[in-house]
Amino acid sequence: MADRDGRPRPEVAFLENFCTATRCATLVRVYTWDGTTWRDIGPADQGITGVDRVAFEGVGASTAIVIHAAPSSSLAAGPTRGGTYRYTLSGGRFSALRVDLDRPVFLFHAILDADDRFVRGEWEAAVAAYEAAIADRTLRDWKAENGRGDSRDALITYALFRIAVATAASGADPNPAIDRVIREGREQVFLNAAEAFRKGYQERGSVVGGCLEATRYLATTGPGIDTPGYVQRLLDHGYANPQYTYRDICPL
C-alpha cells in the first residue's frame, strides 16, 4: 500500500497472473478507494507475458510502474525479445505506455529495427542500421539454432536490397548499392529483385518505378513457381514477429 495517484488515500497494488488457451500473462492491478468502492486504475490492457521484474518508481502522481518481460522460449512464437514496459498516469489511470526493447540478440530483430527506420523514411538512419546488422556477427541466427535452415544469408541480402532502395529514396545514385547486392548477396530472390528495381528505376526515373518493377517480379507465379510464398516462408520467424509478404519488400 502506498500513494500511487497523488490523492489523499493510499492505493493497493498487486499482480494478477492468468492463463488462457494460448498464453499466460501478468496484469498489474492498482486499486483506489473512492469513498464507496474500490476502483482499479491499473493498466487496462491484456497483460504482459514473461514478466520477470516489476518495480514502482517515484511517488504520488509521478509514480511509474516499470515491468521487464523476458523473451519467450516458445518455438512456435519464433525469436522473441525482452523489453521494459513503463506505465504512467494519464486521465486518472496508469494508461500511458512506453516500451523500450532490449538490445537485439538475433539478427532478425536487428533487421526489424532497421525496417522501422526505413518505413518512417529515415533513410540515412535506416542504411546505418542495416549496415550495423550486417556487420555484427554476434547476432544469432534463430532458424539455424532451431533446425529450420539458415536464414542469415537471406536476411543479409534483404538488408543489402533495402540499403539500395533507401539510397535511391535519399536522392543518391543507387547503382553502386545495387551492384553490391549482386556482388555480396547470397539469396537469389533478392538479387533478382535488385536487378528488377534497377530496371524500373532507370526506365521510369523514380524510386516508385523501381519498386513497382521489383514487386512485379516478387509477385511471379506459374507452374512450379511461387515467388510470393517463397518470400513469405523465407522471412517467417514465428507468430510473435511481423509476417512479411512480397508487397512489404519494396513498399515505396
Side-chain angles (χ1 to χ4, degrees):
M1 291 189 69
D3 177 17
R4 304 299 181 192
D5 64 359
R7 296 180 179 180
R9 297 184 179 90
E11 280 63 53
V12 179
F14 59 94
L15 303 179
E16 179 183 345
N17 297 322
F18 73 96
C19 289
T20 66
T22 58
R23 69 192 287 263
C24 291
T26 299
L27 286 168
V28 178
R29 301 295 196 187
V30 182
Y31 280 91
T32 186
W33 179 256
D34 65 9
T36 58
T37 189
W38 289 99
R39 183 168 54 88
D40 187 5
I41 61 169
D45 56 18
Q46 299 301 306
I48 299 172
T49 60
V51 171
D52 62 0
R53 187 170 67 252
V54 181
F56 285 94
E57 294 181 356
V59 294
S62 64
T63 296
I65 304 172
V66 183
I67 301 172
H68 183 266
S72 167
S73 59
S74 167
L75 284 180
T80 56
R81 190 172 176 183
T84 299
Y85 297 73
R86 186 181 183 87
Y87 295 97
T88 52
L89 282 168
S90 178
R93 73 178 305 143
F94 287 91
S95 56
L97 173 62
R98 190 184 84 198
V99 182
D100 297 315
L101 295 174
D102 293 349
R103 182 188 179 281
V105 172
F106 294 101
L107 175 59
F108 183 72
H109 290 146
I111 297 296
L112 289 183
D113 287 350
D115 282 349
D116 184 56
R117 291 169 171 82
F118 182 94
V119 299
R120 293 202 302 261
E122 299 171 2
W123 308 123
E124 291 185 5
V127 168
Y130 287 124
E131 293 284 13
I134 292 169
D136 190 348
R137 302 301 294 184
T138 68
L139 292 168
R140 294 156 53 189
D141 180 349
W142 183 86
K143 283 191 175 182
E145 290 182 9
N146 290 280
R148 302 190 176 195
D150 186 291
S151 67
R152 187 176 299 277
D153 286 348
L155 292 173
I156 287 177
T157 312
Y158 166 81
L160 290 169
F161 174 80
R162 275 291 181 90
I163 288 171
V165 176
T167 299
S170 72
D173 178 8
N175 283 294
I178 294 172
D179 290 341
R180 182 184 174 201
V181 181
I182 308 307
R183 184 175 64 254
E184 299 181 14
R186 296 184 179 180
E187 172 48 59
Q188 191 64 47
V189 73
F190 297 128
L191 303 185
N192 295 345
E195 289 286 22
F197 178 84
R198 190 199 315 260
K199 178 177 181 291
Y201 182 83
Q202 291 176 342
E203 291 179 352
R204 297 178 176 85
S206 69
V207 178
V208 172
C211 277
L212 283 172
E213 196 66 31
T215 302
R216 182 178 290 112
Y217 159 70
L218 292 167
T220 303
T221 57
I225 300 172
D226 180 14
T227 311
Y230 178 74
V231 169
Q232 191 165 354
R233 291 189 298 274
L234 199 64
L235 297 177
D236 180 13
H237 279 70
Y239 68 79
N241 290 294
Q243 302 299 301
Y244 287 80
T245 71
Y246 72 95
R247 295 185 183 90
D248 299 318
I249 307 305
C250 197
L252 303 184

